[in-house]
Amino acid sequence: MKTSLFIMIVLVSGAFAGFIHGTVNFAIVEPYLDQAIGIENQNLFASGEEEDTPEFWVEYEGYRVWQKSGQIVSGVILGMSVGSLFGIVFALSKNTLPGNNMIKKAVILSSIMWFTLYIIPFLKYPANPPTVGDGETVVLRAILYLSFIAISGLGATAFYKLSKKFQNKRKFIALISYAVFISVVFFAMPENPDKITAPMNLVHEFRIMSVLGVTSFWISVGLILGFFWNRFESHKETTPHYT
Amino acid sequence: MSELRQINVSKTGVSKLAIVALAIIFAAGLFVVGFDQGHIFSLVYGEQAFADLYIHELTHDMRHAAGFPCH
């Protein structure tokens, strides 16, 4: 496949999947964000940091519209970004992935990446709505979250390479080794330093919706890139061979 | 008797240029949506960008929804 075509289908599939992610979030996550920000505003009034005045609400509506409109825009940007990583990994691994067509192979890979790059880090550092989180610790939390994603992803890659050295059923040794490795990392990594002060039912429901949104991205990006790859793949050379 | 068989040869090579370009897009996009706190616009607007937080506010809802620490 030509370099330009490869880059184009990776970016377009990421953008489409990101658009779907943003749209799903807009439908199911936004109500929880509004609810959490409402609590945050009440806390600001109660603490005296802000006053419940018409001027406050005019300013609030101004930036809240900007934030909401960014849901889909940033979904597309994030989709192109994560979709680029997915495209690189897919291009390098597609011949060793199970499945008899590119769509199946891409969905299998997107499932693996969803689990190792999202679900495992999420179990340690789950998403939180506004009102949860101290601004003083945001850099530490970002470092912890990014580090765990990197460790999980690189660990999965290393144990995948290890599995190639084993035959048949012994490949499970690599899978079990990854499970042991990531469990040790899971318990060794520091906890999120911030206490949760928002109602727990709001936090739990927000997290469920967050998982559904991100899952919609990973399903979409696998299906769309696999479809494009099948559609535009023009590299099969047919060579007559006589015996 | 000769037998005609077709062998499909699949070229799997991906150019290094494509991988580098996509890796840059990955890192830049992740920073914009997940971690920027005024850094990008500060290149043009200086310290004021850290107060305005335009990109932070634009990506605010996705940042929370996708699991990134926001504030």
Side-chain angles (χ1 to χ4, degrees):
Chain A
M1 187 179 288
K2 283 183 180 176
T3 298
S4 57
L5 180 62
F6 167 62
I7 292 174
M8 196 172 73
I9 66 167
V10 166
L11 293 181
V12 169
S13 56
F16 268 124
F19 178 79
I20 291 167
H21 182 193
T23 305
V24 170
N25 280 349
F26 205 81
I28 67 172
V29 183
E30 282 296 338
Y32 293 93
L33 289 170
D34 283 336
Q35 207 178 326
I37 292 170
I39 294 171
E40 197 172 44
N41 288 341
Q42 292 306 317
N43 291 341
L44 288 173
F45 300 148
S47 67
E49 280 185 68
E50 294 285 351
E51 288 184 18
D52 188 356
T53 60
E55 290 77 21
F56 170 84
W57 290 107
V58 168
E59 188 185 351
Y60 167 78
E61 291 298 336
Y63 74 76
R64 193 70 195 107
V65 168
W66 176 249
Q67 288 177 339
K68 283 191 180 187
S69 62
Q71 180 74 269
I72 291 175
V73 174
S74 47
V76 171
I77 298 170
L78 185 64
M80 290 169 77
S81 163
V82 180
S84 294
L85 178 68
F86 178 66
I88 293 170
V89 178
F90 183 69
L92 296 176
S93 65
K94 65 183 189 300
N95 286 345
T96 56
L97 287 166
N100 55 9
N101 65 56
M102 289 301 174
I103 295 176
K104 285 181 185 171
K105 284 171 182 277
V107 170
I108 287 168
L109 180 65
S110 68
S111 303
I112 293 168
M113 290 179 72
W114 166 79
F115 188 73
T116 55
L117 300 182
Y118 177 67
I119 292 296
I120 291 175
F122 181 90
L123 293 173
K124 180 73 181 181
Y125 303 114
N128 280 318
T131 82
V132 178
D134 179 358
E136 298 291 315
T137 64
V138 69
V139 174
L140 171 64
R141 285 181 285 126
I143 291 169
L144 291 176
Y145 186 56
L146 204 58
S147 301
F148 199 13
I149 292 172
I151 291 169
S152 180
L154 293 173
T157 307
F159 284 103
Y160 165 72
K161 287 190 176 293
L162 182 69
S163 75
K164 285 182 166 178
K165 294 182 178 176
F166 295 121
Q167 297 291 321
N168 302 323
K169 289 182 179 176
R170 294 182 69 189
K171 286 181 183 292
F172 277 101
I173 294 172
L175 187 63
I176 293 165
S177 301
Y178 171 73
V180 171
F181 165 76
I182 205 65
S183 299
V184 169
V185 173
F186 189 95
F187 290 108
M189 292 281 286
E191 297 295 327
N192 184 331
D194 297 345
K195 287 182 180 173
I196 294 176
T197 51
M200 280 313 292
N201 62 334
L202 169 65
V203 174
H204 287 317
E205 287 171 19
F206 169 80
R207 287 174 179 171
I208 292 168
M209 296 305 150
S210 164
V211 169
L212 291 176
V214 176
T215 303
S216 75
F217 168 79
W218 282 109
I219 293 171
S220 305
V221 79
L223 286 171
I224 298 169
L225 184 63
F227 170 78
F228 280 149
W229 207 291
N230 270 349
R231 176 74 179 76
F232 293 108
E233 189 179 39
S234 58
H235 60 257
K236 282 185 178 171
E237 293 178 352
T238 304
T239 309
H241 182 74
Y242 295 92
T243 56
Chain B
M1 190 176 178
S2 69
E3 179 187 346
L4 178 64
R5 290 194 300 165
Q6 288 186 331
I7 299 174
N8 290 326
V9 180
S10 181
K11 292 178 184 173
T12 57
V14 176
S15 76
K16 287 180 183 172
L17 175 68
I19 289 177
V20 169
L22 290 174
I24 291 169
I25 292 168
F26 164 64
L30 194 67
F31 182 78
V32 167
V33 177
F35 302 102
D36 181 79
Q37 302 284 4
H39 301 88
I40 293 173
F41 277 7
S42 74
L43 298 173
V44 179
Y45 296 111
E47 290 297 313
Q48 185 59 34
F50 294 105
D52 293 337
L53 294 176
Y54 285 126
I55 292 179
H56 173 104
E57 298 297 358
L58 185 72
T59 61
H60 174 271
D61 286 15
M62 175 55 81
R63 208 173 273 201
H64 278 282
F68 294 102
C70 187
H71 45 69

